[in-house]
Amino acid sequence: MNKITAVVLAFCLACLSSSSGWAQTASPPPDLGSADWSVNSPHSLASNPPSDDAVLAFLHEITDGGELFQLGICSSQFADLRHSGNLSLVVSYSDGRNCQLSVIDKTPSGFESYAAPARPGSWEVRDLAGNGQFQLVVATEFTSYLGAMHCVAIWPVIYAWTGKGYTDVSSQYTSYYEQELAALKEQIAAHSEEAQAPAASQTPGSVAHRIPVLITRMSTTESSPASSNGVGAAQVVPAPPPSPSPAASPAVTLTGSLDCAKAEAAKIERFLGIDKDAGMADAIKWADSDNPYQREFAASVLGDIGTPDAVEQLRTLSRDPNRVVAAGANVYLGFAGRGPRLNMIEREEAEPPPAGSPPK
């Protein structure tokens, strides 16, 4: 019996020792800096995406980020954006509050990094024309961030490599925005039908309660890093169910979400030339609201509309008794009337070291 016990004990100790050895000899993530980024690689990074750990290690290797990337990768994807023979890495990483977006390209002289505008939301790589040419679609806020008290309206900006950088080419893809407009109108109509139904039908599974999730396919994410294991684009994070507390009642949540659906649809109508004054009626209604968050939202929308009538409404809001609303209106007055803004994913000033350089 003692011999059997001794044998079992020895076996257990051997297993523990072996397990400890495995932990100590675990291989580090593969080095993306020296990997083959070519489009036609037999082990394509697009079809065989690396882990988040490998992407994180690569970001540390090519930048002076220090603690910048320590909070983790939100999402990443390799795609043929530049049509140069090499893939590009689209990666969003957490700064503790939001996911910041960058595009990193491997060139003959090393790596180039391009930073997206501040506070981008989710994103996706698409072949919008169906011709094998990929674009980067980034959900971008065009109204002020008001915390949990109101939604933020989103504008999907389409970027493509144009030889000097990743430039806003949204005007080349009107059919994409026509589809977005149709989807938004369906959501608005569904919400209107649900609002007319008896209050008892407002169950958690009803359209009204799903509006915060449906409001845009690419809503801004305010979450901590949500690992995608490097696969695909950033995913929309569904909004939590409305809180029963007075500060975040279902009525406030649903009204804010519907506001954004209407603002987004109207912006597309202006963009497509359907109606240059689209959204004015709603913006005036929001500007006359007793809710200061709706008035601040109205200032954002009016600034985006930018017509003489919209500027006049902004001047009124600039004298609002609420100092925050007035200050916001004054800011948007400074931008109103300048025409559409051309977005650009710009080259970062601090260039990463050439490929193959030793880690910093």
Side-chain angles (χ1 to χ4, degrees):
M1 190 68 166
N2 289 337
K3 289 184 178 181
I4 295 176
T5 304
V7 169
V8 172
L9 180 60
F11 177 76
C12 292
L13 290 174
C15 289
L16 288 173
S17 176
S18 176
S19 175
S20 177
W22 291 334
Q24 292 173 2
T25 60
S27 59
D31 181 13
L32 291 179
S34 58
D36 184 358
W37 287 41
S38 62
V39 174
N40 298 320
S41 169
H43 300 287
S44 170
L45 291 169
S47 56
N48 299 283
S51 66
D52 286 349
D53 287 342
V55 174
L56 190 62
F58 169 68
L59 294 178
H60 278 292
E61 178 184 339
I62 68 167
T63 68
D64 286 319
E67 298 180 356
L68 179 63
F69 304 111
Q70 288 187 4
L71 293 171
I73 302 298
C74 300
S75 57
S76 65
Q77 181 179 352
F78 278 90
D80 184 12
L81 294 180
R82 287 181 67 158
H83 322 298
S84 64
N86 280 329
L87 297 170
S88 300
L89 171 62
V90 185
V91 57
S92 58
Y93 55 89
S94 174
D95 65 357
R97 283 192 62 204
N98 308 295
C99 291
Q100 306 299 316
L101 181 64
S102 291
V103 180
I104 301 173
D105 295 320
K106 189 173 187 178
T107 71
S109 60
F111 292 102
E112 295 178 357
S113 181
Y114 295 80
R119 288 187 60 83
S122 55
W123 55 271
E124 59 180 344
V125 174
R126 296 277 299 273
D127 177 6
L128 295 174
N131 59 2
Q133 305 288 310
F134 291 97
Q135 298 78 39
L136 177 62
V137 186
V138 181
T140 307
E141 299 173 358
F142 71 92
T143 62
S144 298
Y145 173 65
L146 303 176
M149 302 309 297
H150 202 282
C151 64
V152 178
I154 298 299
W155 175 249
V157 181
I158 303 172
Y159 295 98
W161 177 256
T162 56
K164 295 182 178 179
Y166 291 93
T167 306
D168 184 344
V169 294
S170 303
S171 60
Q172 300 177 23
Y173 297 95
T174 55
S175 60
Y176 169 83
Y177 291 99
E178 289 169 351
Q179 295 172 9
E180 291 290 297
L181 178 59
L184 283 165
K185 285 186 173 181
E186 286 182 7
Q187 293 174 17
I188 294 168
H191 181 273
S192 298
E193 292 174 3
E194 189 70 20
Q196 295 173 4
S201 68
Q202 304 289 326
T203 60
S206 67
V207 173
H209 283 269
R210 287 188 285 114
I211 283 290
V213 180
L214 294 175
I215 199 66
T216 174
R217 277 70 52 216
M218 300 177 64
S219 61
T220 300
T221 54
E222 290 290 331
S223 61
S224 57
S227 173
S228 66
N229 293 320
V231 180
Q235 301 297 312
V236 174
V237 178
S243 168
S245 65
S249 67
V252 171
T253 302
L254 296 176
T255 300
S257 298
L258 183 60
D259 288 350
C260 283
K262 291 180 176 179
E264 291 167 6
K267 182 173 175 65
I268 294 177
E269 289 182 337
R270 298 193 299 272
F271 173 77
L272 294 176
I274 297 172
D275 181 3
K276 66 180 181 64
D277 293 317
M280 271 298 294
D282 283 321
I284 291 172
K285 180 185 69 175
W286 299 327
D288 291 338
S289 170
D290 292 335
N291 186 334
Y293 295 102
Q294 279 198 313
R295 299 201 301 276
E296 193 172 351
F297 179 76
S300 302
V301 173
L302 290 165
D304 193 73
I305 295 173
T307 61
D309 288 342
V311 170
E312 189 60 34
Q313 290 291 329
L314 272 174
R315 289 198 179 99
T316 300
L317 283 174
S318 70
R319 300 186 292 272
D320 194 276
N322 184 297
R323 289 183 295 178
V324 175
V325 174
N330 274 303
V331 169
Y332 284 102
L333 272 173
F335 292 98
R338 293 188 181 181
R341 183 183 66 179
L342 184 65
N343 295 283
M344 188 83 175
I345 298 182
E346 298 181 345
R347 177 84 174 266
E348 293 186 279
E349 294 182 5
E351 297 186 19
S357 295
K360 295 183 177 182

